[in-house]
Amino acid sequence: MKTINRTAWPVVWGIAFLVGAAPFSGSFADVTVPTSPTTAVNALAGGALWNDPTNALLSDNSYASSEVSNWRTGLLLLRGFGFSMPVGATINGIEVKIERNRTGTPGAEIRDNLICLIRDGVCNTENKARIDAWPDTNDAVATYGGPTDLWASAWTPALINGNFGVGIAAEGTSTARVDHATITVWYTPFAQEKTDTTTEVTCQTPITLGSTSDCEATVTRASGDKTPSGTLFWGRTDTGGSFGPQSC
């Protein structure tokens, strides 16, 4: 199970007897931990296939590799990140880190051909391919996107929680190797706005011991649309005491 850090927001309610509460709207940015994929496959997109694609699931110097000869690789799809974005959250940015290198002919090069996010199972976001060459033999981590980068796409929690991931393709004249990749998501939880209200409670008078008194509480919303308005009625008869709290 992947861990998502959350920040609690305070709650401010209107209180009874004509006392107004100050409006509040919670808005705190959160970020997931860098999260690894659990599935890795070749896409049917042409190019040289990736050998041992599942080797890209862990950072362990075991590689998904593809031998390129003046052409490009196919698309390595890394998915199954297991995010659990809360309902109503706003997605602010997505960052991908890819640990990769190249081997083969001295002086030859491997570069990005396509770096995309998988959205609803399809690679259809902005291509973040960089122009710098992959390092020789020793791994280096390349970063794509960031806290405010949405890859020219609109995102919802359902898309992040669904068939989501990253696609990787390379080009050049050598062997491309991918050791690992992670995705980090920045988001803002849904803010339940609490707004100005007044509550007026009235009861039948006079109230005598042992009698029944019908009361009503009228809640009036002064602003916003997240606080209910309405009237609550109730009665009470016993030998004393006070009215308990009632829900609108």
Side-chain angles (χ1 to χ4, degrees), residues 48-59:
L49 291 177
W50 290 88
N51 300 310
D52 303 311
T54 57
N55 283 351
L57 300 180
L58 298 173
S59 179

Side-chain angles (χ1 to χ4, degrees), residues 162-205:
N163 194 2
F164 172 69
V166 59
I168 304 168
E171 62 184 32
T173 57
S174 190
T175 299
R177 304 199 304 178
V178 174
D179 188 12
H180 187 228
T182 61
I183 295 180
T184 302
V185 181
W186 281 262
Y187 67 98
T188 302
F190 175 69
Q192 296 189 26
E193 182 184 9
K194 309 303 176 186
T195 56
D196 284 339
T197 63
T198 57
T199 303
E200 182 177 3
V201 178
T202 57
C203 297
Q204 289 179 339
T205 57

Side-chain angles (χ1 to χ4, degrees), residues 5-238:
N5 299 320
R6 296 184 176 89
T7 303
W9 46 269
V11 179
V12 180
W13 294 96
I15 61 176
F17 304 108
L18 302 176
V19 177
F24 169 78
S25 177
S27 182
F28 299 97
D30 273 332
V31 60
T32 66
V33 298
T35 304
S36 299
T38 59
T39 65
V41 297
N42 279 286
L44 300 177
L49 291 177
W50 290 88
N51 300 310
D52 303 311
T54 57
N55 283 351
L57 300 180
L58 298 173
S59 179
D60 58 2
N61 294 327
S62 295
Y63 299 96
S65 63
S66 182
E67 297 181 11
V68 187
S69 178
N70 293 313
W71 197 27
R72 66 176 177 84
T73 71
L75 193 62
L76 175 63
L77 297 182
L78 303 179
R79 293 175 292 191
F81 285 82
F83 288 110
S84 297
M85 291 289 108
V87 174
T90 299
I91 309 303
N92 300 321
I94 302 169
E95 179 182 85
V96 173
K97 290 183 179 289
I98 301 173
E99 188 176 349
R100 77 282 193 272
N101 69 42
R102 66 122 227 146
T103 61
T105 306
E109 288 187 345
I110 288 290
R111 299 178 186 273
D112 293 344
N113 175 270
L114 176 63
I115 305 294
C116 62
L117 291 178
I118 307 303
R119 190 173 183 274
D120 266 343
V122 180
C123 177
N124 63 356
T125 64
E126 178 183 7
N127 182 4
K128 291 287 189 182
R130 296 165 43 149
I131 62 172
D132 53 308
W134 291 23
D136 292 345
T137 307
N138 296 319
D139 290 346
V141 176
T143 300
Y144 309 84
T148 60
D149 193 331
L150 293 174
W151 300 58
S153 295
W155 297 94
T156 65
L159 288 170
I160 300 294
N161 297 342
N163 194 2
F164 172 69
V166 59
I168 304 168
E171 62 184 32
T173 57
S174 190
T175 299
R177 304 199 304 178
V178 174
D179 188 12
H180 187 228
T182 61
I183 295 180
T184 302
V185 181
W186 281 262
Y187 67 98
T188 302
F190 175 69
Q192 296 189 26
E193 182 184 9
K194 309 303 176 186
T195 56
D196 284 339
T197 63
T198 57
T199 303
E200 182 177 3
V201 178
T202 57
C203 297
Q204 289 179 339
T205 57
I207 301 175
T208 59
L209 185 63
S211 67
T212 298
S213 179
D214 294 325
C215 299
E216 68 180 58
T218 301
V219 179
T220 303
R221 179 174 57 238
S223 63
D225 60 2
K226 301 296 189 298
T227 303
S229 288
T231 302
L232 173 72
F233 299 91
W234 77 95
R236 179 185 178 106
T237 177
D238 61 12

